[in-house]
């Protein structure tokens, strides 16, 4: 059963948006056509489906690209996020959306946090996934607060991850709707210097900034509630909001290699990503090591890329097919910065 409210159509590549009621919430989706093999694109944190605007039109007509806004972003209902469920709120929202659209199986493409949502969905619904593409995904062991390939917690309370790790000025600038570039912590500057590899700037930069500004802020959304910790750096994950849902205390994907059946996996990443990296500029442990966060006690940086490779190697060892593609001269949003390389790799796994 497909239900929706009023549709709108843009002139960019024939993209249109509509809101789709489900049994959980109403989600806004961006799409092009109603027929074809479904390919669902999941955006990352501090963004919405706008970040797929140049990708969706590149898919051949035999595919049906669909890009939802996750809860708390874009035009989807801003329901609160229960961080104790890890990324399951988003994964369950996706399941409800596919049911409302009458889709039994789909290819999943997840960028950054969306990659974590896609992995969580695969663990919960393996028979419904045709293929899985991970684009600079969050580590299967969450964001921050771990060390080692197996994602060992640095502290039992998850210190170094969660809502308290966000920069308060960046959060405030999102809440205030800052569209300028007078600070390195403005959304526009973060887009230019962190989402992308400088000096490249996207053609539709204003639209991407507006997308970032749709992020709902506060304890139930971004960054989430903040809990003090006796362990360095003094913050631990709470139970609400986005960053807490990404904490390794609540979000772990140890079971990925056990799913059956195992769809083919493409892991594509920008070589110069500074967000999801073994030396991430958003990981307080790495920032402590380089002197940017005071009082560093020697806590090691999270090896985010190495952890993902470890988990995907286990997936392959258990019979899955995994391909890793590293794109030169690209940052976190590799699909924006190097669209030709991205779409070529994506079409290969979609056609496998």
């Amino acid at each position: 059963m497909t239900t929706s409210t009023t549709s709108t159509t843009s002139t960019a590549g024939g993209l249109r948006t509509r809101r789709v009621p489900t049994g959980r919430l109403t989600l806004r989706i961006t799409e092009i056509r109603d027929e074809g093999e479904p390919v669902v694109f999941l955006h990352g944190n501090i963004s919405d489906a706008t970040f797929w605007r140049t990708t969706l039109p590149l898919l051949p007509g035999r595919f049906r690209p669909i890009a939802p806004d996750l809860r708390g972003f874009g035009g989807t209902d801003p329901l609160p996020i229960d961080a104790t469920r890890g990324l399951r709120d988003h994964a369950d929202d996706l399941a409800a959306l596919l049911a409302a659209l009458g889709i039994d199986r789909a290819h999943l493409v997840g960028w950054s946090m969306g990659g974590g949502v896609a992995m969580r969905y695969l663990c919960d619904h393996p028979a419904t996934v045709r293929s899985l593409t991970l684009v600079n995904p969050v580590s299967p062991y969450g964001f921050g607060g771990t060390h080692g390939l197996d994602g060992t917690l640095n502290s039992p309370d998850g210190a170094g991850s969660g809502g308290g790790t966000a920069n308060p000025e960046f959060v405030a600038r999102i809440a205030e709707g800052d569209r300028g570039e007078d600070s390195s912590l403005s959304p526009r500057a973060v887009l230019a210097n962190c989402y992308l590899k400088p000096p490249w700037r996207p053609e539709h930069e204003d639209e991407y900034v507006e997308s970032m500004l749709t992020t709902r802020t506060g304890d139930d959304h971004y960054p989430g509630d903040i809990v003090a910790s006796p362990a360095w750096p003094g913050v631990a994950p709470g139970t609400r909001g986005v960053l807490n849902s990404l904490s390794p205390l609540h979000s772990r994907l140890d079971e990925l290699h056990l799913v059956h059946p195992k769809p083919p996996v493409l892991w594509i990443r920008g070589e110069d990503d500074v967000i999801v990296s073994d030396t991430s500029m958003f990981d307080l442990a790495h920032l402590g090591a380089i002197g940017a966060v005071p009082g560093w006690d020697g806590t090691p940086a999270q090896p985010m890329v190495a952890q993902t490779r470890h988990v995907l190697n286990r997936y392959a060892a258990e019979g899955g097919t995994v391909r890793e593609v590293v794109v030169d001269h690209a940052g976190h949003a590799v699909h924006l910065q190097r669209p030709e390389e991205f779409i070529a790799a994506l079409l290969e796994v979609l056609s496998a």
Side-chain angles (χ1 to χ4, degrees):
M1 176 180 67
T2 302
T3 54
S4 68
T5 60
T6 304
S7 297
T8 60
T9 303
S10 87
T11 57
L15 298 177
R16 63 183 189 232
T17 63
R18 60 184 170 119
R19 280 170 51 83
V20 180
T22 76
R24 289 176 56 81
L25 76 172
T26 297
L27 294 97
R28 186 179 71 178
I29 66 172
T30 301
E31 57 188 349
I32 297 177
R33 49 188 165 266
D34 299 324
E35 303 296 330
E37 205 167 286
V39 185
V40 180
F41 292 83
L42 303 171
H43 65 81
N45 198 8
I46 323 294
S47 67
D48 69 4
T50 301
F51 275 77
W52 297 114
R53 68 182 307 281
T54 59
T55 303
L56 271 59
L58 298 178
L59 264 65
R62 73 183 185 89
F63 295 107
R64 179 189 178 188
I66 304 166
D69 296 340
L70 301 177
R71 69 165 62 194
F73 302 94
T76 286
D77 290 350
L79 269 62
I81 295 170
D82 180 356
T84 65
R85 305 185 73 233
L87 293 170
R88 272 203 171 95
D89 271 354
H90 293 309
D92 289 352
D93 291 347
L94 174 58
L97 173 65
L98 296 182
L101 295 174
I103 295 173
D104 297 325
R105 296 183 71 218
H107 301 277
L108 298 185
V109 183
W111 168 52
S112 194
M113 182 181 75
V117 175
M119 286 187 279
R120 179 71 270 160
Y121 183 90
L122 173 60
C123 289
D124 294 344
H125 309 277
T128 70
V129 180
R130 292 178 180 268
S131 70
L132 176 68
T133 296
L134 303 173
V135 187
N136 289 328
V138 64
S139 166
Y141 300 121
F143 198 97
T146 69
H147 64 274
L149 296 182
D150 59 353
T152 301
L153 287 173
N154 294 335
S155 174
D157 64 357
S161 67
T165 64
N167 187 291
E169 182 180 341
F170 178 57
V171 177
R173 286 175 178 268
I174 292 174
E176 294 163 3
D178 179 13
R179 293 168 175 81
E181 199 174 354
D182 63 336
S183 166
S184 63
L185 293 170
S186 71
R188 189 179 298 273
V190 170
L191 170 67
N193 298 316
C194 301
Y195 285 28
L196 305 164
K197 180 185 178 182
W200 188 85
R201 305 288 285 256
E203 180 181 355
H204 302 283
E205 181 173 283
D206 287 348
E207 294 185 31
Y208 298 123
V209 172
E210 292 301 321
S211 168
M212 296 171 73
L213 293 176
T214 69
T215 302
R216 302 332 192 266
T217 57
D219 287 351
D220 285 328
H221 298 291
Y222 179 80
D225 58 332
I226 298 172
V227 175
S229 171
W232 187 90
V235 292
T239 61
R240 301 152 61 195
V242 175
L243 291 189
N244 293 315
S245 75
L246 290 167
S247 164
L249 198 65
H250 305 309
S251 182
R252 294 184 64 91
L253 293 161
D254 296 294
E255 72 271 36
L256 191 70
H257 65 289
L258 300 175
V259 303
H260 181 79
K262 287 182 169 62
V265 175
L266 167 66
W267 175 26
I268 184 167
R269 58 187 183 86
E271 180 184 43
D272 299 301
D273 187 359
V274 299
I275 296 177
V276 174
S277 166
D278 289 352
T279 53
S280 170
M281 296 305 293
F282 289 70
D283 177 11
L284 293 186
H286 174 66
L287 293 175
I290 64 175
V293 174
W296 182 59
D297 64 353
T299 297
Q302 180 186 9
M304 301 178 186
V305 173
Q307 288 175 351
T308 298
R309 184 174 293 111
H310 171 70
V311 168
L312 293 181
N313 283 344
R314 293 182 73 188
Y315 185 88
E318 292 293 331
T321 300
V322 177
R323 180 186 179 208
E324 178 182 353
V325 175
V326 182
V327 180
D328 296 338
H329 309 297
H332 190 56
V334 61
H335 54 292
L336 291 185
Q337 197 155 16
R338 300 294 294 274
E340 296 85 2
E341 291 92 332
F342 175 77
I343 203 67
L346 176 61
L347 289 176
E348 186 170 327
V349 75
L350 294 182
S351 303

